[in-house]
Amino acid sequence: MSKKSKMWYGYLDAGAKSSPVLMDPKLETGNPNTLYLYNLNRDKILEYQKTIIEAKLRELNGKESDLADELKKAYNKARKDFVPRRTATKTITETTETGVAKKVSVPNLELESIDDTEVDLNEEIDLGDDD
């Protein structure tokens, strides 16, 4: 599974959770230990640990090759709503490269002193509730 410029179509052999999968090398997880795969049975792009998943992946065999078109169509649909889990780091980096931080001066405000008028805490207050 080398990184190629085109999508890889395969099958995840994982017992009851087995599924046709698609790997798009353009989708980066931001973690060298994980990768994104579109899982057809779950109809989602999921992040997998490479050390666990690589041994369970294989290319589609001859009789499964017709799944490639179905995988590509379903992946393109799922890709529209997909938000990578680690987007915050990238967004922060892009913001700091393009934005300029400004220093804002806050005016000094004098606090008014509270006068020492006595308040009767037992005094009834009319809240306007007419029973």
Side-chain angles (χ1 to χ4, degrees):
M1 277 189 347
S2 64
K3 285 202 169 196
K4 299 177 184 175
S5 61
K6 61 183 197 175
M7 295 182 203
W8 180 84
Y9 302 91
Y11 196 82
L12 170 62
D13 279 322
K17 295 183 179 183
S18 294
S19 174
V21 292
L22 178 148
M23 180 175 48
D24 184 350
K26 295 176 195 169
L27 289 181
E28 291 289 329
T29 64
N31 180 347
N33 299 318
T34 63
L35 58 89
Y36 283 124
L37 290 176
Y38 171 73
N39 182 310
L40 184 63
N41 289 352
R42 301 228 1 230
D43 193 25
K44 286 184 178 182
I45 298 170
L46 302 169
E47 185 172 2
Y48 293 93
Q49 290 288 325
K50 284 183 181 180
T51 55
I52 296 169
I53 203 73
E54 285 184 334
K56 298 176 182 189
L57 292 175
R58 64 170 172 79
E59 289 190 25
L60 295 177
N61 61 32
K63 63 183 177 184
E64 297 167 333
S65 61
D66 59 328
L67 288 172
D69 286 336
E70 183 181 351
L71 270 167
K72 188 171 184 174
K73 286 177 187 176
Y75 166 74
N76 287 332
K77 184 179 173 190
R79 177 72 175 99
K80 290 177 185 176
D81 297 324
F82 176 67
V83 178
R85 193 167 63 91
R86 290 183 176 82
T87 55
T89 304
K90 195 170 197 177
T91 304
I92 291 169
T93 303
E94 290 171 3
T95 303
T96 55
E97 290 174 5
T98 59
V100 176
K102 294 181 181 179
K103 288 186 178 180
V104 178
S105 60
V106 178
N108 289 331
L109 301 175
E110 289 187 31
L111 297 176
E112 294 182 26
S113 62
I114 300 173
D115 86 307
D116 297 317
T117 307
E118 287 187 29
V119 177
D120 183 1
L121 297 177
N122 294 323
E123 182 181 355
E124 288 186 9
I125 301 172
D126 183 13
L127 299 175
D129 289 340
D130 293 332
D131 290 319

